[in-house]
Amino acid sequence: MQLRRLVIAVVVVLAPIGAQAHTSSSTYGEVHLEPRALRYVLELGPLETNELLGLGPYARLDEEQIRREAGSLGRVVAAHLTVTNNGRPCPGRAEKVDPQTVGERRTGVRVELRFECERRLEDVEIGYQLFFDKDQRHQSYTKADVGGTTRHHMF
């Protein structure tokens, strides 16, 4: 009887408790410069898409649902990105929101945004505030073609 209590006690002590670790969220962006505008293409994975829509992390959205929510997704993403040129704000809006799939599996959403500036682009700054309020380890891998040179940046 003593041995059985000991085994039960050891099993209870060593039993795993809910894990606290999780994979941090990430997005991928591309910046395209035009004379007076900046286009920002952002790719969101399924977890990030669900987060922006206020759904559980494992909700399954099909292409039709994403298309129905395209306006909402575009507005939320645009509200969390800022662009300035020479210190002046460049208003932005989502131009296109499309589901992304690989074969039969949905892999996320692609959001194309356009920021119009009053003057020719010279000293451009991009502010990115998506997901940091919920995931301090969030990262956005972004690349830009600047004068024929590809530059990489991580927010």
Side-chain angles (χ1 to χ4, degrees):
M1 190 61 128
Q2 287 286 38
L3 181 58
R4 182 177 172 154
R5 279 193 207 137
L6 178 61
V7 170
I8 291 172
V10 169
V11 169
V12 170
V13 169
L14 295 179
I17 355 182
Q20 299 298 317
H22 70 282
T23 303
S24 60
S25 60
S26 60
T27 59
Y28 300 90
E30 287 182 22
V31 174
H32 304 277
L33 303 176
E34 298 175 2
R36 290 188 169 199
L38 180 143
R39 286 187 311 111
Y40 196 110
V41 179
L42 188 66
E43 294 182 6
L44 306 163
L47 294 175
E48 292 77 26
T49 302
N50 291 348
E51 176 70 35
L52 290 181
L53 293 174
L55 303 173
Y58 303 107
R60 291 189 169 283
L61 291 173
D62 61 30
E63 287 190 25
E64 183 57 36
Q65 290 170 305
I66 291 171
R67 291 190 199 293
R68 274 197 313 270
E69 297 292 343
S72 175
L73 280 168
R75 283 188 296 279
V76 170
V77 171
H80 287 84
L81 292 170
T82 57
V83 173
T84 61
N85 181 36
N86 288 325
R88 301 181 88 133
C90 301
R93 64 181 167 77
E95 291 190 321
K96 193 173 183 182
V97 178
D98 286 321
Q100 299 294 295
T101 57
V102 174
E104 297 292 314
R105 188 172 63 90
R106 184 178 71 80
T107 59
V109 174
R110 178 181 169 99
V111 181
E112 296 182 25
L113 303 115
R114 182 177 183 82
F115 295 85
E116 297 283 344
C117 301
E118 293 176 4
R119 300 182 180 164
R120 187 169 184 80
L121 297 184
E122 293 174 356
D123 184 17
V124 176
E125 289 186 26
I126 300 171
Y128 179 98
Q129 296 92 25
L130 275 169
F131 305 111
F132 291 115
D133 57 336
K134 297 203 171 36
D135 181 1
Q136 295 176 356
R137 297 182 308 160
H138 173 72
Q139 297 176 336
S140 183
Y141 305 96
T142 304
K143 69 178 183 175
D145 183 39
V146 181
T149 302
T150 300
R151 298 190 180 179
H152 298 269
H153 182 75
M154 188 176 343
F155 290 100

